[in-house]
């Protein structure tokens, strides 16, 4: 059947290039392997020339797939499953790219794209190592190509194509609107009924998600370069690859670390768990390869300078790439679906994803252990007063830290493989923090002192002379923070608090000692101080994490006694948490919030991004600053219920005030609450849900109420006071107006208490007995509930990330420059 309005050509083009990519990447693997194995220079050049041509075709194929898929998404061709499930007509242009990496297929294509970019740099720069390194890269490209193939072999589906049609995936089988009434088959004009797509996940509609995934996947992709060099070294039994691999390892560590912290920035700005890191399994899966990669980078430096630690360098570079593949399995297999907000949904590719890991893991480990004894190693133990000894200890600590993290993260995998039912800890964050706090202490101290040690041996007098000044400064600064910085995180006991203060010292020590080393050790040669600058940045990251997390303060304590929040505060996905930490604001009513008076001023819906923005006015009680914040909510899609909250923050140089909406209520629904009639008289007290009401007196035609009284009417008003549980007083004057036999009610309300009072009638004039109606209804006002945190010194964290990346960049530049000079000397 021909279906009206379908655009089949883009899908056919995309699928053609997917198949072509698979074929040429496999051929490139074979030809590069032949070039690598041959000893004949002429044959080698011939195979290399052919391999480069094949890799060029591979690059064109990947770029063509990328452009084709973007065309499908940007033109809203909903006949294609990828556009239908990941975009919609109202999606802003800047988020169209984010549709790529929402789905697994697009993110695999992004990964493959970066391999192409890195591959051409390797072809340009790797010289005699090109064949061995590009053999591994091309094979990885082949594996990634299988992931987007979407073809059945012997009844088994290989990959998931982004170019399949929605109708072929059964999307319309259960929807009568798309069926022909007579035949029961899909209508030829089904696209006329297909008005819109499912849209991009609301959590991804943030500018960070346009830039964070490409950087993170560049980091993932770049880990293959040190791995490929290591594999080429094992195959050839030549170990000179260490030198060209070093700048690549630095580049990979810089980019992957940046990508991880961009994810933290996205979480801080888009998620409502109140922070930038929650030890989420997907976060962990990205962090662990970075830890092992940094460990390998440092053992690489040891070998370059002393000849020690070549075997650990092989291992760390191999395991870093394997951990990237394992993180791919964790996040894409669906196994983390119940434990992570970031994980992909299961596409039924678990076996293929597992094979992706094993096809690299098993040969790499087999070859490593087979060649282990042939890898050069110095038998003599390192001197404990040498730089290489303590750098190796630091690398080992980083590796062990990663093992602990990945083991805890892999609990769902263990449960599935072995049929166990290991429950997650009640406080998941503390389960990680209680171990990693000691890692921070050790790494901070080693980062501080290691550069003051010389390779092979360091005279004790020399070491003491150099290190005592930065040590004293670090002690003074950290003691100042501890005693005057109000770091009193005692939720986990005094032992953990002491560990926090020790970690603060270690982090400050890392910053001060490395900054001082530029002058004490390198005589002010800042251009050669990339490692010290990177270590300063790392120390600043630790300082920012420790202070901002341990001093994170809740500002929004519930002072009104009113909360619309329900449910278990510890339940998964409950962003509100403890209701006592959430303040309810009534529209237009200033409310006390500690140092501030806070007012919910108004809200508006932006038709462009479909978000509801709430204007929250903050006014300092001391008459100082005033500012507005605009947190927003957007309706959940992809089967989610309710609304997703996006925080807003007021940034200062020394802190952030961070706010997000935990619930909101509009006065646009029918009020079904009825009045409860109560008898009372002057001096009586009546109770309502959040306090009590006192009747002071009854006034006839009071002058202050004359605007409410019509000519010829006689009015009675009740002078009453509403007193809430928190002691607030609200004057209220309900009344009635009489004219002949006509009675008109004049109710009054206290909006912030959701309270309406109505004077019904006089029951007994002699005894003064009256009847009033009391109604407590949330439908009388707009209200919101919000959560507000203060993050002290959080900008130290972001500054540290920037400084660390600059340090990595300086190191890469110096090593590439030095390699260039070495090549000139050889020529």
């Amino acid at each position: 059947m021909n279906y009206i309005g379908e655009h089949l050509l883009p899908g056919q083009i995309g699928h053609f290039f997917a198949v072509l990519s698979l074929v040429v990447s496999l051929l490139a693997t074979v030809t590069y392997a032949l070039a690598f194995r041959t000893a004949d220079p002429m044959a080698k050049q011939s195979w290399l020339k052919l391999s480069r041509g094949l890799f060029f075709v591979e690059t064109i194929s990947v770029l063509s797939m990328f452009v084709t898929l973007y065309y499908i998404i940007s033109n809203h061709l909903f006949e294609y499953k990828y556009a239908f499930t990941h975009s919609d007509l109202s999606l802003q242009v800047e988020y169209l790219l984010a549709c790529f990496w929402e789905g697994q297929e697009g993110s695999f294509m992004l990964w493959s794209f970066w391999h192409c970019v890195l591959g051409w740099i390797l072809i340009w720069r790797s010289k005699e190592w090109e064949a061995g390194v590009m053999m591994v890269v091309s094979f990885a490209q082949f594996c990634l190509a299988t992931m987007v193939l979407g073809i059945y072999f012997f009844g088994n589906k290989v990959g998931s194509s982004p170019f399949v049609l929605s109708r072929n995936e059964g999307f319309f089988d259960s929807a009568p609107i798309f069926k022909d009434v007579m035949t029961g088959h899909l209508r030829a004009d089904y696209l006329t009924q297909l008005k819109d797509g499912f849209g991009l996940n609301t959590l991804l509609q943030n500018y960070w998600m346009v830039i964070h995934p490409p950087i993170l996947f560049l980091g993932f992709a770049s880990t293959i370069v040190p791995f490929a060099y290591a594999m080429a070294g094992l195959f050839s039994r030549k170990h000179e690859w260490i030198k060209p691999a070093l700048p690549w390892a630095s580049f990979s560590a810089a980019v992957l670390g940046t990508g991880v912290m961009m994810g933290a920035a996205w979480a801080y700005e888009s998620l409502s768990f109140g922070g930038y890191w929650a030890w989420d399994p997907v976060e962990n899966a990205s962090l662990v390869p970075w830890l092992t990669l940094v460990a390998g980078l440092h053992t690489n430096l040891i070998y370059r300078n002393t000849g020690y630690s070549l075997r650990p360098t092989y291992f760390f570079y191999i395991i870093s790439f394997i951990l990237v593949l394992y993180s791919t399995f964790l996040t894409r297999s669906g196994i983390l679906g119940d434990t992570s907000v970031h994980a992909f949904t299961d596409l039924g590719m678990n076996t293929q994803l597992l094979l992706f890991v094993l096809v690299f893991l098993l040969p790499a480990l087999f070859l490593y252990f087979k060649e282990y004894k042939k890898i050069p190693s110095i038998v003599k133990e390192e001197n404990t007063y040498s730089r290489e000894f303590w750098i190796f200890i630091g690398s080992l600590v980083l590796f062990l830290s990663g093992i602990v993290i990945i083991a805890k993260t892999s609990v769902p995998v263990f449960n599935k493989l072995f049929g166990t039912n290991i429950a997650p800890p009640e406080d998941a964050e503390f389960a990680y923090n209680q171990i990693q706090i000691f890692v921070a202490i050790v790494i901070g101290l080693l980062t501080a002192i290691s550069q003051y040690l010389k390779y092979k041996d360091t005279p004790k007098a020399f070491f003491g002379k150099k290190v005592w000044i930065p040590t004293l400064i670090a002690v003074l600064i950290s003691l100042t923070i501890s005693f005057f910085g109000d770091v009193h995180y005692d939720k986990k006991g005094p032992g953990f608090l002491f560990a926090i203060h020790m970690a603060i010292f270690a982090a400050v020590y890392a910053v001060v000692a490395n900054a001082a080393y530029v002058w004490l050790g390198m005589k002010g040669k800042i251009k050669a101080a990339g490692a010290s600058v990177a270590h300063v940045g790392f120390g600043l990251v630790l300082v920012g994490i420790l202070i901002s997390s341990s001093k994170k303060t809740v500002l929004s304590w519930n002072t009104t006694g009113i909360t619309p929040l329900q449910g278990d505060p510890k339940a998964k996905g409950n962003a509100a948490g403890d209701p006592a930490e959430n303040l309810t604001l009534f529209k237009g009513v200033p409310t006390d919030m500690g140092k501030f008076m806070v007012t919910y001023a108004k809200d508006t819906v932006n038709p462009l991004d479909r978000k509801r923005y709430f204007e929250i006015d903050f006014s300092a009680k001391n008459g100082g600053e005033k500012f507005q914040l605009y947190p927003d909510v957007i309706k959940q899609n992809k089967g989610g219920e309710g609304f997703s909250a996006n925080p807003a923050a007021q940034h200062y140089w020394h802190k952030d005030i961070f706010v997000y909406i935990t619930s909101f209520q509009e006065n646009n629904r029918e009020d079904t609450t009825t009045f409860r009639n109560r008898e009372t008289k002057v001096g009586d007290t009546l109770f309502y849900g959040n306090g009590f009401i006192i009747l002071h007196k009854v006034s006839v035609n009071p002058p202050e109420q004359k605007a409410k009284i019509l000519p010829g009417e006689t009015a009675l008003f009740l002078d009453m006071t509403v007193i809430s549980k928190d002691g607030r007083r609200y004057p209220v004057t309900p009344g009635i107006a009489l004219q002949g036999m006509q009675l008109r009610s004049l109710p009054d309300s206290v909006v912030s208490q959701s309270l309406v009072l109505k004077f019904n009638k006089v029951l007994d004039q002699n005894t003064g007995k009256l009847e009033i109606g009391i109604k407590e209804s949330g439908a009388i006002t707009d209200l919101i509930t919000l959560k507000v945190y203060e993050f002290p010194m959080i900008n130290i964290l972001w500054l540290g990330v920037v400084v660390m990346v600059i340090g990595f960049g300086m190191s890469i530049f110096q090593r590439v420059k030095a390699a260039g000079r070495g090549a000139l000397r050889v020529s």
Side-chain angles (χ1 to χ4, degrees), residues 155 313 333 357 370 388 437 442 462 657 748:
T313 303
S333 63
V357 180
K370 176 177 175 289
E388 63 269 23
I437 189 72
V442 174
F462 173 85
I657 292 178
D748 201 358

Side-chain angles (χ1 to χ4, degrees), residues 2 11 37 103 149 196 279 286 302 334 356 360 375 400 460 496 519 524 546 559 654 672 678:
N2 292 321
R37 300 301 295 176
L149 194 60
D196 209 349
W279 295 110
S286 304
I302 293 173
F356 189 24
F360 283 95
I375 299 172
L400 293 175
K460 294 180 181 180
F496 189 67
W519 283 268
L546 290 164
T559 58
H654 64 297
T672 58
R678 304 285 297 276

Side-chain angles (χ1 to χ4, degrees), residues 408-461:
K408 288 180 177 291
T409 304
S410 300
V411 166
V413 180
F414 300 149
N415 285 339
K416 191 165 187 177
L417 286 177
F418 303 111
T420 56
N421 190 25
I422 303 172
E426 186 175 348
D427 188 342
E429 288 189 32
F430 184 64
Y432 288 97
N433 291 339
Q434 65 182 340
I435 297 174
Q436 300 306 319
I437 189 72
F438 296 104
V439 173
I441 293 170
V442 174
I443 294 299
L445 293 174
L446 293 179
T447 302
I449 66 171
S450 60
Q451 292 202 91
Y452 288 88
L453 296 166
K454 294 182 178 182
Y455 284 109
K456 297 185 178 178
D457 190 23
T458 309
K460 294 180 181 180

Side-chain angles (χ1 to χ4, degrees), residues 472-489 497 500-512 539-540 542-551 792-793 796:
L472 179 61
I473 295 172
V475 168
L476 293 174
I477 293 175
S478 59
L479 286 176
T480 301
I481 295 172
S482 294
F483 285 108
F484 303 105
D486 196 31
V487 180
H488 299 303
Y489 185 86
L497 177 60
I500 289 174
H501 286 285
M502 287 297 297
I504 289 173
F505 164 72
V508 171
Y509 195 15
V511 174
V512 173
L540 288 171
L542 288 181
V543 172
I545 290 172
L546 290 164
I547 295 179
S548 64
S549 298
S550 61
K551 284 176 59 63
M793 298 299 175
I796 295 177

